[in-house]
Amino acid sequence: MMQVCLNGSRTAADGVAVPLTPESIADSAAEAVAAGATDIHVHPKTPCGQDTLSPRVLAPVLSAIRARIPVPVGVTTAAWAEPDPAARLRRIRDWTVLPDHASVNWHEPGAEETAALLLELGVGVEAGIWSGTDGAERFAVSPLGPKVLRVLAEVTDTDPPGAVASARGLLSDLGSAHGRPVLLHGEDGGAWPVLRLAGRLGLATRIGLEDVLFLPGGEPAGSNGELVAAGLAGYGAARSGATDRPARPSGASP
C-alpha cells in the first residue's frame, strides 16, 4: 500500500504546493491517486490554515475528496488539532461525515479513549506509534491493539542514517504489533531512506507533503503526485534489489 499524506501540519509558509482548502485538497488527492496512491491521509484545515477536528471543516474536505476519487480517506486526531482529550471526543461525536479511518497517536493523552470512540463509530483506527516515545510500550498492552486497522510506525529522526536505525529499533519495539499490518514511514531528511527500507522489508509506506517537501534528488516537490510517483519508483527499486529479508512484525502488509 502506498498512502499519500497530503498536507499534515504544513501551512502556506511551506509552499504553494501544500493543499489547504477542500478544493485544493481534492485536486491534490486526485493527482496523487492518478500517480498510484491507494489511500489518503489528510489534515482538514481552518480558513487560517490550522489543523482542526471541527465537523464543519471535516465534512466539506471528505465530501470533496470522495466526489473525485474512490479510495479510502483518513484524517488526523492529533492532540495539536484539539489538545483537550474530552473536547476531542466531543468533536468526534459531532462528526456528520465519517472518514474511513483516523490516526491516533498512542503516546498522546486520551489515545485509548479516542481510539475506542472511533471504533464504536465504525471508523478504522491507524495506531500512530512514534519513535522516541512510549507509544510502542503503551500499544503493546492495549486491549484495542488487535482491533486497529493498521499500525503507523512513524520515525521522527530526520537524520538519514539515524532514521534507518531508528526505524529498525521501532519495528523491534513493536514486536508482533498485535498481528496488525504495519505502515512504516519517516519525515524530512529521513523520509526517503525510511521509504526505501520499507521497500526492502516489504512493508506498506506513505509519502507526501506532510512528510517531505523535496524529491529524492533534493529538488523541491511540485505536488503530492510527484512525490507519490517518486516514492513508488524508489520503493519498487528497493524491493526488487533486496537480497536480505530482515524479519518484520507479524501481520505486516506485504
Side-chain angles (χ1 to χ4, degrees), residues 27-38 40 69 71 225 228-229 232:
D27 287 344
S28 188
E31 182 185 359
V33 169
T38 57
I40 305 292
I69 50 176
V71 304
V228 168
L232 286 168

Side-chain angles (χ1 to χ4, degrees), residues 7-28:
N7 52 12
S9 56
R10 309 276 189 190
T11 68
D14 293 298
V16 295
V18 179
L20 304 174
T21 66
E23 295 76 16
S24 64
I25 287 170
D27 287 344
S28 188

